[in-house]
Amino acid sequence: LVGAEALVRWQHPQRGLVPPMQFIPFAEQTGFIRVLTMWVFEEAARLWRELHAEGVSLKLAVNLSTRDLLDQDLPAKFDALLVKHRVPAEAFCLEITESAIMDDPQRALGTLNRLSALGFKLSIDDFGTGYSSLAYLKRLPVDELKIDKSFVLNMETDLDDAKIVRSTIDLAHNMGLTVVAEGVENAKVWDLLRELECDEAQ
């Protein structure tokens, strides 16, 4: 076990368990996502400190939204929370989607460069599902690609999916990036990914 991803689930007193697809888009539209991101990041920092005190060292992944990437103050806010909780930036991997970057590439690049300079590891989430530009990818200060689970789930039976996964791993490694395969649900897929020299499985 090398890491964990911080994911939000809302346990509502009347509605029960509310899935993220029912509240994250609303949070995005209203701008409340920035408050939610800060809360998730601070909770993750607090948890990392607790685990570290018990001798457990994990990399924690936190998702950033389009609005987060357009917030020019985000790096300073994150840095302040690192200082508050005495946690190193290297303890975190910040995940961004291709579509979030492409919304306003120049502003997003500025935010990502500052986050990278602070020591955060950066990852492109759901790689292969957005409208990724390879020309733009080489300019981003990213460390990791996460292959979307839609390609991984059936790669043992779908040759096209297997080819996409293999090509993505080769592309990432040739660019000096590590690769995480999402949606690893059985030993057969795990073994296939090991053969392809995928770095991590989720």
Side-chain angles (χ1 to χ4, degrees), residues 123-190:
S123 176
I124 298 199
D125 199 9
D126 303 335
F127 186 78
T129 59
Y131 36 94
S132 55
S133 161
L134 294 180
Y136 199 72
L137 178 61
K138 70 179 184 180
R139 293 173 50 208
L140 293 170
V142 295
D143 308 280
E144 175 185 282
L145 293 185
K146 291 188 79 173
I147 305 175
D148 188 70
K149 64 184 177 187
S150 60
F151 303 115
V152 177
L153 284 169
N154 301 312
M155 64 179 285
E156 60 186 304
T157 54
D158 189 316
L159 285 177
D160 288 333
D161 280 349
K163 287 175 186 172
I164 289 170
V165 171
R166 177 192 297 273
S167 300
T168 305
I169 292 170
D170 289 345
L171 169 71
H173 286 168
N174 286 331
M175 295 181 73
L177 307 175
T178 56
V179 186
V180 179
E182 294 181 306
V184 181
E185 301 289 340
N186 61 53
K188 184 77 164 91
V189 170
W190 173 275

Side-chain angles (χ1 to χ4, degrees), residues 103-119:
D103 220 44
D104 187 339
Q106 285 312 113
R107 258 174 97 179
L109 185 58
T111 303
L112 292 174
N113 278 328
R114 287 199 297 282
L115 289 168
S116 179
L118 287 171

Side-chain angles (χ1 to χ4, degrees), residues 96-109:
I96 59 252
T97 60
E98 301 163 71
S99 54
I101 297 165
M102 294 307 169
D103 220 44
D104 187 339
Q106 285 312 113
R107 258 174 97 179
L109 185 58

Side-chain angles (χ1 to χ4, degrees), residues 60-74:
L60 295 182
V62 173
N63 292 281
L64 300 185
S65 74
T66 305
R67 283 186 182 257
D68 292 321
L69 286 184
L70 299 181
D71 181 0
Q72 302 296 290
D73 298 325
L74 183 75

Side-chain angles (χ1 to χ4, degrees), residues 1-68:
L1 183 65
V2 295
E5 181 175 357
L7 296 171
V8 174
R9 299 294 181 267
W10 184 6
Q11 189 66 52
H12 191 279
Q14 281 83 40
R15 298 167 185 262
L17 188 63
V18 183
M21 283 310 296
Q22 285 184 19
F23 65 87
I24 293 293
F26 179 72
E28 285 268 15
Q29 290 160 13
T30 59
F32 188 75
I33 193 74
R34 289 183 177 181
V35 178
L36 190 56
T37 298
M38 294 306 296
W39 180 81
V40 169
F41 183 78
E42 182 157 25
E43 285 295 296
R46 192 180 53 73
L47 176 64
W48 188 91
R49 170 51 58 192
E50 286 178 12
L51 291 171
H52 190 69
E54 294 171 15
V56 179
S57 191
L58 291 177
K59 175 186 66 181
L60 295 182
V62 173
N63 292 281
L64 300 185
S65 74
T66 305
R67 283 186 182 257
D68 292 321

